[in-house]
Amino acid sequence: MNNYDPMENDLERVEFHRHAVALMPDASDPRPGIAFLVEGQRNGVTQRFCSCSISQKRTCDHTLELTRVYKKLKKRLKEKNFDDDFRSSIWDEFAQILGENCRETLESVRMDLFKAGDEQSLRVFGSDGNEIFSYLSDGADRDRFLERCEKKSDRGIVPTRAVVLDRLALMTLTENERAMNSRGVETRRQLLEKTFWHRALYHCYREQGGSDCTFHPAVEETSGAFSVTCRNSGEKPLCRMVIPRGKVRRLLSLLQERLPNQHGLAIHPIPLKSIFKVAADTHLDLDIRPMIKIMQENGEDRFLEREDLARYIYGDLVYIPEMGILAELERPGNLERRFQAPKKMVLKKSQVPKFLEQYGEEILDASNLLTGKKESLKIVKAFDRIEIT
């Protein structure tokens, strides 16, 4: 059965920036050219042109092909332009959060290919040497990621996608931006668009669209790094973002707002002090009272003095590894302590994976249930009741 979809193939060749679109050449084109289309703003005239030599004499096939693809894509997007659709997606909201006050650009990051068994991942390291992003898909989309995110170069006859995106950015400068740039100043939007995060998440949007993806937060307990892994509709991991500590709360709020019913995202940080105020009659949806009792015996002050706690602090949030949950630290300057024993505390199973992560395999290993001499074992065939503690 032939599953080839020419429209999807065309879509993979499209790049855009704001209101400008480019069509990369087909691999089999003997005379490759890159066609550009710049939408007219405020009732202006839409411009079309191509980099091939034929376009200097007449309208070339590349320009005609881009016009055809452009019309079909506009119909698919219900007449929205590409930038409007991108900016309404969760990918752009990720870019807004992660790219704010970010110094990482395509020039400052380093990319390395890692291989573990049969699986490969492309890891991106920031200027401080720490990993900030991993591209986990190993298909043709990874090649497009590399081409979109590589350092600027005009190698070969056909410019790379990264170079084309830079050209589109120049074509879409506003009059205000041109005036500011002439004085050596860039707008906030320009600074965001130059970050690595904007380009990486633009790529994710181009490959996944509005997206049926799911997003899974996690804490790496050795380093304390907070990450979010994106999986496609088939639960295949696509990428992993390492979230700066000061942006964890904003990102969790975004996930809760955009994907409120997604399993694994019900992370509602609770006041840390309320854990130390849990009483015997407090209703808990999980039987974690033994862990809470140990924490209460040690005391809140001793908990906050722990040497390993620094790596688990994300702004005003703290991860409690013993319980696998996020708690909210008391705000500085809040001298009033009016916490009372909570009547009810809802944690949900997805928030407390720690015990099963550590001991799940041992629990399922039946050999661990046998202690002492096996000869003394007796098989009980009838009983009145069973109590498990």
Side-chain angles (χ1 to χ4, degrees):
M1 180 178 179
N2 185 5
N3 293 321
Y4 175 71
D5 184 347
M7 184 60 189
E8 291 303 321
N9 182 54
D10 291 339
L11 187 59
E12 292 175 355
R13 294 165 53 202
V14 170
E15 300 295 339
F16 75 87
H17 184 87
R18 299 188 186 180
H19 55 278
V21 186
L23 184 68
M24 302 297 293
D26 188 276
S28 60
D29 191 342
R31 295 181 178 179
I34 300 174
F36 294 89
L37 183 151
V38 183
E39 293 179 345
Q41 300 294 291
R42 297 181 181 179
N43 300 320
V45 178
T46 296
Q47 302 176 54
R48 296 176 177 84
F49 49 92
C50 183
S51 63
C52 72
S53 57
I54 296 177
S55 64
Q56 298 175 6
K57 302 177 182 177
R58 59 180 174 83
T59 301
C60 66
D61 291 340
H62 307 125
T63 304
L64 294 174
E65 187 177 12
L66 173 58
T67 301
R68 175 183 63 80
V69 172
Y70 172 76
K71 288 180 179 179
K72 286 188 176 181
L73 290 176
K74 286 278 284 187
K75 185 177 181 180
R76 175 181 288 192
L77 295 175
K78 299 179 180 179
E79 296 307 314
K80 289 194 298 184
N81 68 22
F82 302 92
D83 191 54
D84 289 339
D85 191 62
F86 171 53
R87 296 181 73 177
S88 65
S89 72
I90 194 170
W91 300 112
D92 181 66
E93 294 198 62
F94 276 128
Q96 295 282 343
I97 294 173
L98 297 173
E100 184 179 28
N101 299 321
C102 174
R103 62 181 181 179
E104 302 297 355
T105 64
L106 300 182
E107 285 72 29
S108 69
V109 299
R110 173 175 59 87
M111 300 187 191
D112 285 324
L113 193 62
F114 283 75
K115 186 172 183 179
D118 295 332
E119 296 183 356
Q120 289 185 339
S121 64
L122 184 66
R123 298 185 185 180
V124 182
F125 298 87
S127 52
D128 60 359
N130 293 321
E131 181 181 332
I132 62 172
F133 185 84
S134 289
Y135 200 70
L136 307 174
S137 175
D138 57 0
D141 56 318
R142 186 176 68 191
D143 296 331
R144 290 190 288 274
F145 174 82
L146 277 168
E147 195 177 348
R148 285 171 176 140
C149 296
E150 69 178 353
K151 294 177 175 61
K152 300 172 186 176
S153 66
D154 253 321
R155 70 172 190 263
I157 300 175
V158 180
T160 65
R161 292 176 187 261
V163 171
V164 170
L165 285 166
D166 287 338
R167 291 183 182 178
L168 291 173
L170 290 174
M171 295 175 188
T172 54
L173 287 174
T174 65
E175 292 181 8
N176 182 52
E177 286 173 334
R178 293 182 189 278
M180 292 181 65
N181 295 169
S182 67
R183 296 178 174 86
V185 181
E186 292 182 306
T187 65
R188 181 179 177 183
R189 184 178 183 183
Q190 283 182 295
L191 291 173
L192 173 65
E193 290 171 345
K194 286 186 175 182
T195 64
F196 163 77
W197 285 113
H198 185 271
R199 185 63 59 84
L201 293 164
Y202 160 85
H203 166 82
C204 291
Y205 165 80
R206 291 293 297 107
E207 300 298 328
Q208 301 300 322
S211 193
D212 292 326
C213 295
T214 57
F215 298 89
H216 306 267
V219 173
E220 205 286 305
E221 295 198 4
T222 302
S223 64
F226 193 102
S227 66
V228 174
T229 299
C230 169
R231 297 176 180 271
N232 64 16
S233 56
E235 284 300 297
K236 181 180 178 181
L238 298 172
C239 66
R240 180 176 61 250
M241 299 168 276
V242 180
I243 313 302
R245 293 176 179 273
K247 298 180 179 182
V248 169
R249 177 182 279 277
R250 286 178 60 193
L251 190 128
L252 290 177
S253 298
L254 167 65
L255 293 176
Q256 186 62 35
E257 176 185 348
R258 294 293 297 257
L259 305 167
N261 299 317
Q262 182 176 301
H263 178 70
L265 289 182
I267 300 180
H268 306 281
I270 58 177
L272 177 64
K273 192 168 292 298
S274 65
I275 295 176
F276 291 91
K277 291 287 185 179
V278 168
D281 59 348
T282 299
H283 173 73
L284 299 173
D285 64 329
L286 293 176
D287 189 12
I288 57 172
R289 205 172 294 275
M291 286 182 282
I292 292 180
K293 185 177 180 181
I294 292 174
M295 290 184 63
Q296 289 176 334
E297 289 175 352
N298 292 331
E300 182 184 3
D301 291 340
R302 184 173 296 180
F303 173 81
L304 292 173
E305 292 173 356
R306 287 169 40 168
E307 293 182 0
D308 66 336
L309 193 64
R311 68 172 179 263
Y312 296 131
I313 293 179
Y314 315 95
D316 60 351
L317 301 178
V318 59
Y319 176 71
I320 304 176
E322 294 86 350
M323 300 171 63
I325 64 172
L326 279 172
E328 187 175 20
L329 292 168
E330 191 174 1
R331 294 179 181 177
N334 184 9
L335 301 178
E336 295 186 9
R337 295 171 174 259
R338 297 180 178 178
F339 282 98
Q340 297 178 351
K343 295 180 180 180
K344 182 178 181 180
M345 185 179 291
V346 178
L347 300 172
K348 299 189 178 183
K349 291 183 179 180
S350 61
Q351 293 173 275
V352 192
K354 176 74 173 177
F355 182 78
L356 289 179
E357 284 181 0
Q358 284 191 336
Y359 305 110
E361 293 183 3
E362 296 180 23
I363 292 172
L364 297 175
D365 185 359
S367 64
N368 288 333
L369 300 177
L370 301 178
T371 59
K373 294 182 179 180
K374 298 180 181 179
E375 291 81 1
S376 63
L377 292 176
K378 295 182 180 181
I379 298 176
V380 179
K381 295 183 178 180
F383 48 87
D384 295 324
R385 61 194 174 95
I386 292 179
E387 290 183 3
I388 298 177
T389 301

